[in-house]
Amino acid sequence: MYMRRFDCDYMAGAHPKVMEALLRTNMELTPGYGNDAYTAEAKHLIREAIAMPDAEVFFLVGGTQTNAVAIDGILRHHEGVLAAESGHIAVHESGAIEASGHKVLTLPHVDGKVRAEDVGRYIDDFYADETYQHMVAPGMLYISQSTEFGTIYSLAELRALSDVCHSHNIPLYLDGARMGYALAAEGADFTLSDIARLADVFYIGGTKVGTLFGEALVVTNPALLRNLFPLVKQHGALLAKGRLLGVQFAELFRDGLYYEIGAHAVRLAVRLREILRAAGYDIVIESPTNQQFVRLPNDVIDTLRQSISFDYWGPRGKDCSVVRFVTSWYTTDEDIDVLAAQVG
Amino acid sequence: MYMRRFDCDYMAGAHPKVMEALLRTNMELTPGYGNDAYTAEAKHLIREAIAMPDAEVFFLVGGTQTNAVAIDGILRHHEGVLAAESGHIAVHESGAIEASGHKVLTLPHVDGKVRAEDVGRYIDDFYADETYQHMVAPGMLYISQSTEFGTIYSLAELRALSDVCHSHNIPLYLDGARMGYALAAEGADFTLSDIARLADVFYIGGTKVGTLFGEALVVTNPALLRNLFPLVKQHGALLAKGRLLGVQFAELFRDGLYYEIGAHAVRLAVRLREILRAAGYDIVIESPTNQQFVRLPNDVIDTLRQSISFDYWGPRGKDCSVVRFVTSWYTTDEDIDVLAAQVG
Amino acid sequence: MYMRRFDCDYMAGAHPKVMEALLRTNMELTPGYGNDAYTAEAKHLIREAIAMPDAEVFFLVGGTQTNAVAIDGILRHHEGVLAAESGHIAVHESGAIEASGHKVLTLPHVDGKVRAEDVGRYIDDFYADETYQHMVAPGMLYISQSTEFGTIYSLAELRALSDVCHSHNIPLYLDGARMGYALAAEGADFTLSDIARLADVFYIGGTKVGTLFGEALVVTNPALLRNLFPLVKQHGALLAKGRLLGVQFAELFRDGLYYEIGAHAVRLAVRLREILRAAGYDIVIESPTNQQFVRLPNDVIDTLRQSISFDYWGPRGKDCSVVRFVTSWYTTDEDIDVLAAQVG
Amino acid sequence: MYMRRFDCDYMAGAHPKVMEALLRTNMELTPGYGNDAYTAEAKHLIREAIAMPDAEVFFLVGGTQTNAVAIDGILRHHEGVLAAESGHIAVHESGAIEASGHKVLTLPHVDGKVRAEDVGRYIDDFYADETYQHMVAPGMLYISQSTEFGTIYSLAELRALSDVCHSHNIPLYLDGARMGYALAAEGADFTLSDIARLADVFYIGGTKVGTLFGEALVVTNPALLRNLFPLVKQHGALLAKGRLLGVQFAELFRDGLYYEIGAHAVRLAVRLREILRAAGYDIVIESPTNQQFVRLPNDVIDTLRQSISFDYWGPRGKDCSVVRFVTSWYTTDEDIDVLAAQVG
């Protein structure tokens, strides 16, 4: 019996349909750097999906470089980026934002989510401080959908964040590394088109949602982030065989594969969560997406690990710990059955 | 009849054997960021190929980011990198080196190659100048093998460069984006192991030599470039599904595929060159590798372009221009036959 | 009657003796960039004051640039600097540290002071986290003496911080913008020589303690921070007429003027504090140095402002606010008398 | 007999009138960071001198930091700064421009001067190159008046440079470290007001023209360089006692002292040059300003050095070398007499 893996959502290669597309086009010869028909098609499909024919779309390889390019491209020298204390750019990008010269200005969070009122208060307090010119000005807001904790912003929350940003003259940037799972989340009341309307810049993650790699950076307000080509190249983020990104994203968006993957993984994550809840374990965060955080007794953890892998997040109370289970396109009902059998 | 393409060496996806390996392993679940068995195997195979069991090997996605990481990691703040005026980092990386804070200090070149005597003179003159502390100190030498012009350094030239660097206390860094074609070049008298012995840091390019993407950074003197993992992440260059790099490089080095690709492309490039020479055209640079630079009448260029694509490099004399033809693993004898029929 | 000013400690030019030295030497012709006899003398005097004949001493113009140079020079790429959340580099340097590529990693503070146990815990927790390579490594500790709140570290606290840093292999850097007032503080149990023994790098501030401008960066462990000259120049911090710094610091340290200034300002600050305490006002922070933080009724503030200026720090409770009074070498007993008359 | 010094133009402190102003105001208490009446007066005087009441004026301490702030503030990420190969930013600033992330793009020069035609050709060629997005875009032009070689641009040349920049949509930035000597140069046909009209941003140097230190950055097109305060602070270039700059520049511009200093130094430099020419020595560059470059036999150099100091620039032909003589406000006719007596 082999190990069932719930460690993260980037453990396999590409979704079989994406892989098939790469294989099918492998021997074609096309120009490099994204100047090919597949990239053009993928850009067109994403513009259609968000109903914004004039949006700028640029494909990059990974999330850290996409965040670095977007933030470095948007901010002026004296500005920093507001983000949740738990945000990926604040914690887990080895200082990539600072390496481009910008400070991450942190906000408190609730289960990974930033509140609009905190954003407004931060900016108001900033400019009320007589010494503000000696401090780093809040130049944009970074949020992620879904968050590091699997939670999602509702449409009303997104609207409030968008409003507070725009009434304070800063753009809203949304990290959608796991957007596919957010769109398919239980109770999700927003669409990709809503995201595009409310965020000034965002990215649609491929790495965790079906591709070998790749993120689609979307600039709904092109004046905000010009000269993307040289900026991406300067950040070392321009893929020579750019069409690989086009081929993959075209596959995700041509017939709805992107949404299917999200729905599949979320369905299994919810099944998993309810099995664990039914078995009497604490669900630490009420996540409606593909990441689930559960408090388990340490001896249960030890037993489970013989057949199942997952992430350890830290001790919680006496003899217990919080662990994370993640599903993806490659997770199967059979995987969940194995878990159920262990905790049942 | 379809177009025969000689524009560059990254127009197709991956060599079929590499693609097959990606397909074969696609559904396996492994940890991310290179902590997988394929990456371990690929590192082992490269260490064997260079006969250096203790060398540090790290896989990155593309050349610009590899150069940026290596140079940023090696240099101290007050130092710059010596390179040929025509060097890739000096011209074609959108300022990636400067974006990391370092100046590219340029040297004259002969057909893309730097001379050891010029390196020595630069460093000697630098420290002889009383104002040297107000200038950027030469902190390392960057060369590429093969060069932007398809030429190669002989073993003696490499040894001279290595010697002049070490006698002047700076490391030698070699950009091997096209190393596969250099190793297979006509008259090449060096091995990968020679490169590893003479350079302190170098990279073995995959993108142009058979993989979808990927470059293997090799640090033969690990003291020179520590903490690669966070440095790579900070540069946005850490691939989440790191095993994709391991799978591909293992395929290149397990049974010599890397060398076969080089030999194949060089054989066809030489065939192409001699056809053009025999047809009476000037070979502008005597390149022994997969890039060939030829002076053609403009009307010949126009005619050829109906069935063949290639790069335009610039006007040369009255009614003529220099163009570049590039072969790769996907170039066929039939492609060359088509060219031959056109100029014959 | 003119306004008595307690806004900050850099409102006047230089201490008359320092000014006199500048005037006395004004017409002499000397080489630039610190290659002059006055700079040599000043370095010598500081080395004597700390009893470290081999320490490296370098004079810079201002505090922000001194911090930027020291931190940028010490840290490796993947490292950040630990500092109190209230630290100057964390709040009031317009992102100068991040502009050099480094993250400021914040620690909780007590009245501006970092606790050794928090430093140790941060570093231990960091390396205990499996994802630490994706995060910014703590590469040094920044503290200031005195702090933003006028408090001082005792010798025991400094020793504990030095110990925890060194047992965790990071250097201790001390910002001494107001060191003169710390050395003269009520209850101060440390000397400049203790500072030099316990910190790896520190600076002795001149701008706030008697000079027109200027900070003396001292590197007690020269291996930690090499190539200062080009690093300072690159940071735009090299003064052409470097001797101006030498002349001023020589004046401060030739006959103990530096210590006299500290003692004078602290004596007056304590007098001021006790007058306010006796008048029934809350002393918000028990500061033994030249900065005093007091809670005053808003109507008292309004009245005082007719004859006295000071800094407003923020509201505190109903109808009250916290304000800051700062003394310096130019504060007089008469200034304090005027305050006493107002609140008496 | 003491040494007569012609090494450079920053060997003394401040012009006596400037020093007197610093002394006169020394004990006044004013707010920091340039928020004082002297700074306001100095800004007003400079705006009057250039007849531009809306120009932004900001005072910084030194030239390298002023260049770094201006260039970093103007350029966008993918852009570099065009400059003569001999330009100060290209050679003698320890990589300060690159440390801010920008490449210096070099142009050929004639006696330190850039030609408008070369600027136009560079930009035209850049955008004609199909790979231009992989290269660093020319984003501004840097020139200095006077140049590193003491030469000056005529009004026609300045106009041509301004025209070529603006017709190519890049701003013109002028480094005026020695502008005072340029304005007073033999044959100078331009005024400060012409400079202000033709350059988008420039600075008026104080360090070499009478102040202890200080440069006045002038932004004639304020849209080009906003948020100067935090940008200056971030670069570590904000002087705490900002009024010191205001006091000095007000003194220079209140009654024409700035122009007097220039005229004095140029008159003596011309006297010196003609003495050396009459003595039969080669004037290497026909400089109309305070720097003079002369070819002298090495034995003459040795003899002169017993009573006179000057800069050695390098060997020129058999037994000869080029040396530089520099005059300043503190140079006297008696100094020139001593030289004349030596070579007469």
PDB file of all heavy atoms in Angstrom, chain C residues 252-276:
ATOM      1  N   LEU C 252      35.520  66.785  20.272  1.00  0.00           N
ATOM      2  CA  LEU C 252      34.659  66.105  21.262  1.00  0.00           C
ATOM      3  C   LEU C 252      35.452  65.218  22.199  1.00  0.00           C
ATOM      4  O   LEU C 252      35.119  65.088  23.373  1.00  0.00           O
ATOM      5  CB  LEU C 252      33.609  65.231  20.550  1.00  0.00           C
ATOM      6  CG  LEU C 252      32.413  65.903  19.878  1.00  0.00           C
ATOM      7  CD1 LEU C 252      31.430  64.839  19.414  1.00  0.00           C
ATOM      8  CD2 LEU C 252      31.711  66.881  20.834  1.00  0.00           C
ATOM      9  N   PHE C 253      36.503  64.556  21.652  1.00  0.00           N
ATOM     10  CA  PHE C 253      37.185  63.540  22.453  1.00  0.00           C
ATOM     11  C   PHE C 253      38.547  63.949  22.985  1.00  0.00           C
ATOM     12  O   PHE C 253      39.141  63.211  23.768  1.00  0.00           O
ATOM     13  CB  PHE C 253      37.282  62.229  21.653  1.00  0.00           C
ATOM     14  CG  PHE C 253      35.984  61.470  21.687  1.00  0.00           C
ATOM     15  CD1 PHE C 253      35.018  61.643  20.713  1.00  0.00           C
ATOM     16  CD2 PHE C 253      35.707  60.613  22.746  1.00  0.00           C
ATOM     17  CE1 PHE C 253      33.802  60.959  20.786  1.00  0.00           C
ATOM     18  CE2 PHE C 253      34.503  59.927  22.831  1.00  0.00           C
ATOM     19  CZ  PHE C 253      33.545  60.112  21.843  1.00  0.00           C
ATOM     20  N   ARG C 254      39.053  65.135  22.580  1.00  0.00           N
ATOM     21  CA  ARG C 254      40.396  65.523  23.040  1.00  0.00           C
ATOM     22  C   ARG C 254      40.430  65.762  24.546  1.00  0.00           C
ATOM     23  O   ARG C 254      41.291  65.271  25.252  1.00  0.00           O
ATOM     24  CB  ARG C 254      40.885  66.762  22.284  1.00  0.00           C
ATOM     25  CG  ARG C 254      42.386  66.960  22.441  1.00  0.00           C
ATOM     26  CD  ARG C 254      42.878  68.161  21.648  1.00  0.00           C
ATOM     27  NE  ARG C 254      42.759  67.985  20.208  1.00  0.00           N
ATOM     28  CZ  ARG C 254      41.934  68.696  19.425  1.00  0.00           C
ATOM     29  NH1 ARG C 254      41.188  69.647  19.949  1.00  0.00           N
ATOM     30  NH2 ARG C 254      41.877  68.472  18.141  1.00  0.00           N
ATOM     31  N   ASP C 255      39.423  66.466  25.038  1.00  0.00           N
ATOM     32  CA  ASP C 255      39.432  66.821  26.467  1.00  0.00           C
ATOM     33  C   ASP C 255      38.124  66.492  27.174  1.00  0.00           C
ATOM     34  O   ASP C 255      37.740  67.166  28.139  1.00  0.00           O
ATOM     35  CB  ASP C 255      39.718  68.325  26.623  1.00  0.00           C
ATOM     36  CG  ASP C 255      41.104  68.689  26.134  1.00  0.00           C
ATOM     37  OD1 ASP C 255      42.065  67.990  26.510  1.00  0.00           O
ATOM     38  OD2 ASP C 255      41.218  69.644  25.349  1.00  0.00           O
ATOM     39  N   GLY C 256      37.408  65.525  26.652  1.00  0.00           N
ATOM     40  CA  GLY C 256      36.217  65.088  27.379  1.00  0.00           C
ATOM     41  C   GLY C 256      34.958  65.893  27.129  1.00  0.00           C
ATOM     42  O   GLY C 256      33.962  65.743  27.838  1.00  0.00           O
ATOM     43  N   LEU C 257      34.969  66.750  26.097  1.00  0.00           N
ATOM     44  CA  LEU C 257      33.778  67.561  25.808  1.00  0.00           C
ATOM     45  C   LEU C 257      32.542  66.685  25.600  1.00  0.00           C
ATOM     46  O   LEU C 257      31.429  67.033  26.017  1.00  0.00           O
ATOM     47  CB  LEU C 257      34.043  68.429  24.567  1.00  0.00           C
ATOM     48  CG  LEU C 257      32.884  69.289  24.087  1.00  0.00           C
ATOM     49  CD1 LEU C 257      32.433  70.279  25.167  1.00  0.00           C
ATOM     50  CD2 LEU C 257      33.279  70.058  22.810  1.00  0.00           C
ATOM     51  N   TYR C 258      32.752  65.547  24.933  1.00  0.00           N
ATOM     52  CA  TYR C 258      31.632  64.637  24.661  1.00  0.00           C
ATOM     53  C   TYR C 258      30.923  64.245  25.950  1.00  0.00           C
ATOM     54  O   TYR C 258      29.685  64.238  26.011  1.00  0.00           O
ATOM     55  CB  TYR C 258      32.181  63.388  23.942  1.00  0.00           C
ATOM     56  CG  TYR C 258      31.127  62.407  23.511  1.00  0.00           C
ATOM     57  CD1 TYR C 258      30.230  62.716  22.488  1.00  0.00           C
ATOM     58  CD2 TYR C 258      31.029  61.142  24.107  1.00  0.00           C
ATOM     59  CE1 TYR C 258      29.265  61.805  22.075  1.00  0.00           C
ATOM     60  CE2 TYR C 258      30.075  60.226  23.703  1.00  0.00           C
ATOM     61  CZ  TYR C 258      29.198  60.564  22.683  1.00  0.00           C
ATOM     62  OH  TYR C 258      28.251  59.671  22.290  1.00  0.00           O
ATOM     63  N   TYR C 259      31.670  63.970  26.974  1.00  0.00           N
ATOM     64  CA  TYR C 259      31.074  63.542  28.245  1.00  0.00           C
ATOM     65  C   TYR C 259      30.437  64.726  28.988  1.00  0.00           C
ATOM     66  O   TYR C 259      29.423  64.593  29.654  1.00  0.00           O
ATOM     67  CB  TYR C 259      32.120  62.862  29.127  1.00  0.00           C
ATOM     68  CG  TYR C 259      32.812  61.743  28.396  1.00  0.00           C
ATOM     69  CD1 TYR C 259      34.094  61.911  27.874  1.00  0.00           C
ATOM     70  CD2 TYR C 259      32.179  60.514  28.205  1.00  0.00           C
ATOM     71  CE1 TYR C 259      34.738  60.900  27.182  1.00  0.00           C
ATOM     72  CE2 TYR C 259      32.812  59.488  27.509  1.00  0.00           C
ATOM     73  CZ  TYR C 259      34.084  59.680  27.000  1.00  0.00           C
ATOM     74  OH  TYR C 259      34.694  58.680  26.318  1.00  0.00           O
ATOM     75  N   GLU C 260      31.090  65.882  28.865  1.00  0.00           N
ATOM     76  CA  GLU C 260      30.528  67.081  29.501  1.00  0.00           C
ATOM     77  C   GLU C 260      29.156  67.415  28.938  1.00  0.00           C
ATOM     78  O   GLU C 260      28.236  67.783  29.679  1.00  0.00           O
ATOM     79  CB  GLU C 260      31.440  68.298  29.243  1.00  0.00           C
ATOM     80  CG  GLU C 260      32.687  68.331  30.076  1.00  0.00           C
ATOM     81  CD  GLU C 260      33.625  69.432  29.584  1.00  0.00           C
ATOM     82  OE1 GLU C 260      33.144  70.481  29.110  1.00  0.00           O
ATOM     83  OE2 GLU C 260      34.859  69.206  29.648  1.00  0.00           O
ATOM     84  N   ILE C 261      29.040  67.339  27.617  1.00  0.00           N
ATOM     85  CA  ILE C 261      27.760  67.651  26.975  1.00  0.00           C
ATOM     86  C   ILE C 261      26.677  66.704  27.483  1.00  0.00           C
ATOM     87  O   ILE C 261      25.571  67.122  27.842  1.00  0.00           O
ATOM     88  CB  ILE C 261      27.897  67.547  25.437  1.00  0.00           C
ATOM     89  CG1 ILE C 261      28.737  68.703  24.903  1.00  0.00           C
ATOM     90  CG2 ILE C 261      26.528  67.497  24.768  1.00  0.00           C
ATOM     91  CD1 ILE C 261      29.078  68.589  23.418  1.00  0.00           C
ATOM     92  N   GLY C 262      27.024  65.419  27.546  1.00  0.00           N
ATOM     93  CA  GLY C 262      26.056  64.431  28.025  1.00  0.00           C
ATOM     94  C   GLY C 262      25.608  64.739  29.444  1.00  0.00           C
ATOM     95  O   GLY C 262      24.396  64.750  29.749  1.00  0.00           O
ATOM     96  N   ALA C 263      26.573  65.044  30.306  1.00  0.00           N
ATOM     97  CA  ALA C 263      26.250  65.283  31.705  1.00  0.00           C
ATOM     98  C   ALA C 263      25.377  66.523  31.870  1.00  0.00           C
ATOM     99  O   ALA C 263      24.415  66.531  32.645  1.00  0.00           O
ATOM    100  CB  ALA C 263      27.552  65.428  32.511  1.00  0.00           C
ATOM    101  N   HIS C 264      25.705  67.547  31.124  1.00  0.00           N
ATOM    102  CA  HIS C 264      24.945  68.793  31.187  1.00  0.00           C
ATOM    103  C   HIS C 264      23.491  68.560  30.800  1.00  0.00           C
ATOM    104  O   HIS C 264      22.556  68.955  31.514  1.00  0.00           O
ATOM    105  CB  HIS C 264      25.598  69.829  30.251  1.00  0.00           C
ATOM    106  CG  HIS C 264      24.794  71.066  30.047  1.00  0.00           C
ATOM    107  ND1 HIS C 264      24.835  72.120  30.919  1.00  0.00           N
ATOM    108  CD2 HIS C 264      23.904  71.400  29.076  1.00  0.00           C
ATOM    109  CE1 HIS C 264      24.005  73.059  30.498  1.00  0.00           C
ATOM    110  NE2 HIS C 264      23.429  72.646  29.377  1.00  0.00           N
ATOM    111  N   ALA C 265      23.276  67.917  29.682  1.00  0.00           N
ATOM    112  CA  ALA C 265      21.908  67.739  29.177  1.00  0.00           C
ATOM    113  C   ALA C 265      21.116  66.815  30.080  1.00  0.00           C
ATOM    114  O   ALA C 265      19.911  67.029  30.311  1.00  0.00           O
ATOM    115  CB  ALA C 265      21.947  67.189  27.749  1.00  0.00           C
ATOM    116  N   VAL C 266      21.760  65.803  30.620  1.00  0.00           N
ATOM    117  CA  VAL C 266      21.039  64.868  31.489  1.00  0.00           C
ATOM    118  C   VAL C 266      20.662  65.555  32.807  1.00  0.00           C
ATOM    119  O   VAL C 266      19.547  65.390  33.303  1.00  0.00           O
ATOM    120  CB  VAL C 266      21.867  63.587  31.738  1.00  0.00           C
ATOM    121  CG1 VAL C 266      21.263  62.768  32.869  1.00  0.00           C
ATOM    122  CG2 VAL C 266      21.959  62.759  30.459  1.00  0.00           C
ATOM    123  N   ARG C 267      21.577  66.343  33.344  1.00  0.00           N
ATOM    124  CA  ARG C 267      21.249  67.056  34.586  1.00  0.00           C
ATOM    125  C   ARG C 267      20.004  67.922  34.395  1.00  0.00           C
ATOM    126  O   ARG C 267      19.076  67.902  35.220  1.00  0.00           O
ATOM    127  CB  ARG C 267      22.435  67.949  35.010  1.00  0.00           C
ATOM    128  CG  ARG C 267      22.185  68.720  36.300  1.00  0.00           C
ATOM    129  CD  ARG C 267      23.378  69.579  36.729  1.00  0.00           C
ATOM    130  NE  ARG C 267      23.685  70.657  35.817  1.00  0.00           N
ATOM    131  CZ  ARG C 267      23.014  71.809  35.720  1.00  0.00           C
ATOM    132  NH1 ARG C 267      21.959  72.028  36.504  1.00  0.00           N
ATOM    133  NH2 ARG C 267      23.367  72.735  34.852  1.00  0.00           N
ATOM    134  N   LEU C 268      19.930  68.623  33.274  1.00  0.00           N
ATOM    135  CA  LEU C 268      18.791  69.502  33.029  1.00  0.00           C
ATOM    136  C   LEU C 268      17.517  68.690  32.752  1.00  0.00           C
ATOM    137  O   LEU C 268      16.418  69.088  33.152  1.00  0.00           O
ATOM    138  CB  LEU C 268      19.082  70.457  31.879  1.00  0.00           C
ATOM    139  CG  LEU C 268      20.184  71.486  32.181  1.00  0.00           C
ATOM    140  CD1 LEU C 268      20.415  72.400  30.990  1.00  0.00           C
ATOM    141  CD2 LEU C 268      19.817  72.310  33.420  1.00  0.00           C
ATOM    142  N   ALA C 269      17.652  67.568  32.085  1.00  0.00           N
ATOM    143  CA  ALA C 269      16.482  66.727  31.795  1.00  0.00           C
ATOM    144  C   ALA C 269      15.892  66.172  33.084  1.00  0.00           C
ATOM    145  O   ALA C 269      14.669  66.113  33.256  1.00  0.00           O
ATOM    146  CB  ALA C 269      16.870  65.583  30.851  1.00  0.00           C
ATOM    147  N   VAL C 270      16.754  65.797  33.992  1.00  0.00           N
ATOM    148  CA  VAL C 270      16.282  65.264  35.280  1.00  0.00           C
ATOM    149  C   VAL C 270      15.602  66.377  36.077  1.00  0.00           C
ATOM    150  O   VAL C 270      14.548  66.170  36.686  1.00  0.00           O
ATOM    151  CB  VAL C 270      17.460  64.653  36.071  1.00  0.00           C
ATOM    152  CG1 VAL C 270      17.029  64.316  37.497  1.00  0.00           C
ATOM    153  CG2 VAL C 270      17.987  63.403  35.358  1.00  0.00           C
ATOM    154  N   ARG C 271      16.200  67.537  36.036  1.00  0.00           N
ATOM    155  CA  ARG C 271      15.576  68.685  36.730  1.00  0.00           C
ATOM    156  C   ARG C 271      14.183  68.925  36.169  1.00  0.00           C
ATOM    157  O   ARG C 271      13.210  69.065  36.905  1.00  0.00           O
ATOM    158  CB  ARG C 271      16.444  69.933  36.485  1.00  0.00           C
ATOM    159  CG  ARG C 271      16.646  70.816  37.713  1.00  0.00           C
ATOM    160  CD  ARG C 271      17.147  72.224  37.353  1.00  0.00           C
ATOM    161  NE  ARG C 271      16.148  73.209  37.755  1.00  0.00           N
ATOM    162  CZ  ARG C 271      16.101  74.458  37.342  1.00  0.00           C
ATOM    163  NH1 ARG C 271      17.010  74.919  36.479  1.00  0.00           N
ATOM    164  NH2 ARG C 271      15.151  75.259  37.754  1.00  0.00           N
ATOM    165  N   LEU C 272      14.103  68.965  34.854  1.00  0.00           N
ATOM    166  CA  LEU C 272      12.820  69.178  34.166  1.00  0.00           C
ATOM    167  C   LEU C 272      11.809  68.096  34.571  1.00  0.00           C
ATOM    168  O   LEU C 272      10.653  68.389  34.904  1.00  0.00           O
ATOM    169  CB  LEU C 272      13.068  69.160  32.657  1.00  0.00           C
ATOM    170  CG  LEU C 272      11.873  69.305  31.722  1.00  0.00           C
ATOM    171  CD1 LEU C 272      12.308  69.997  30.413  1.00  0.00           C
ATOM    172  CD2 LEU C 272      11.243  67.962  31.389  1.00  0.00           C
ATOM    173  N   ARG C 273      12.243  66.854  34.541  1.00  0.00           N
ATOM    174  CA  ARG C 273      11.345  65.734  34.870  1.00  0.00           C
ATOM    175  C   ARG C 273      10.794  65.873  36.276  1.00  0.00           C
ATOM    176  O   ARG C 273       9.595  65.708  36.509  1.00  0.00           O
ATOM    177  CB  ARG C 273      12.114  64.405  34.742  1.00  0.00           C
ATOM    178  CG  ARG C 273      11.249  63.175  34.937  1.00  0.00           C
ATOM    179  CD  ARG C 273      12.130  61.924  34.979  1.00  0.00           C
ATOM    180  NE  ARG C 273      12.925  61.902  36.209  1.00  0.00           N
ATOM    181  CZ  ARG C 273      14.085  61.243  36.354  1.00  0.00           C
ATOM    182  NH1 ARG C 273      14.589  60.539  35.351  1.00  0.00           N
ATOM    183  NH2 ARG C 273      14.730  61.277  37.502  1.00  0.00           N
ATOM    184  N   GLU C 274      11.681  66.205  37.207  1.00  0.00           N
ATOM    185  CA  GLU C 274      11.238  66.255  38.595  1.00  0.00           C
ATOM    186  C   GLU C 274      10.323  67.460  38.861  1.00  0.00           C
ATOM    187  O   GLU C 274       9.413  67.379  39.698  1.00  0.00           O
ATOM    188  CB  GLU C 274      12.441  66.220  39.541  1.00  0.00           C
ATOM    189  CG  GLU C 274      13.224  64.907  39.443  1.00  0.00           C
ATOM    190  CD  GLU C 274      12.330  63.672  39.552  1.00  0.00           C
ATOM    191  OE1 GLU C 274      11.383  63.644  40.373  1.00  0.00           O
ATOM    192  OE2 GLU C 274      12.557  62.697  38.771  1.00  0.00           O
ATOM    193  N   ILE C 275      10.547  68.530  38.117  1.00  0.00           N
ATOM    194  CA  ILE C 275       9.622  69.662  38.219  1.00  0.00           C
ATOM    195  C   ILE C 275       8.236  69.244  37.780  1.00  0.00           C
ATOM    196  O   ILE C 275       7.228  69.546  38.434  1.00  0.00           O
ATOM    197  CB  ILE C 275      10.145  70.843  37.357  1.00  0.00           C
ATOM    198  CG1 ILE C 275      11.341  71.497  38.042  1.00  0.00           C
ATOM    199  CG2 ILE C 275       9.030  71.860  37.068  1.00  0.00           C
ATOM    200  CD1 ILE C 275      12.130  72.447  37.158  1.00  0.00           C
ATOM    201  N   LEU C 276       8.169  68.523  36.683  1.00  0.00           N
ATOM    202  CA  LEU C 276       6.862  68.100  36.161  1.00  0.00           C
ATOM    203  C   LEU C 276       6.222  67.064  37.084  1.00  0.00           C
ATOM    204  O   LEU C 276       5.019  67.064  37.313  1.00  0.00           O
ATOM    205  CB  LEU C 276       7.020  67.548  34.739  1.00  0.00           C
ATOM    206  CG  LEU C 276       7.355  68.635  33.701  1.00  0.00           C
ATOM    207  CD1 LEU C 276       7.867  68.015  32.413  1.00  0.00           C
ATOM    208  CD2 LEU C 276       6.141  69.519  33.452  1.00  0.00           C
TER     209      LEU C 276
END
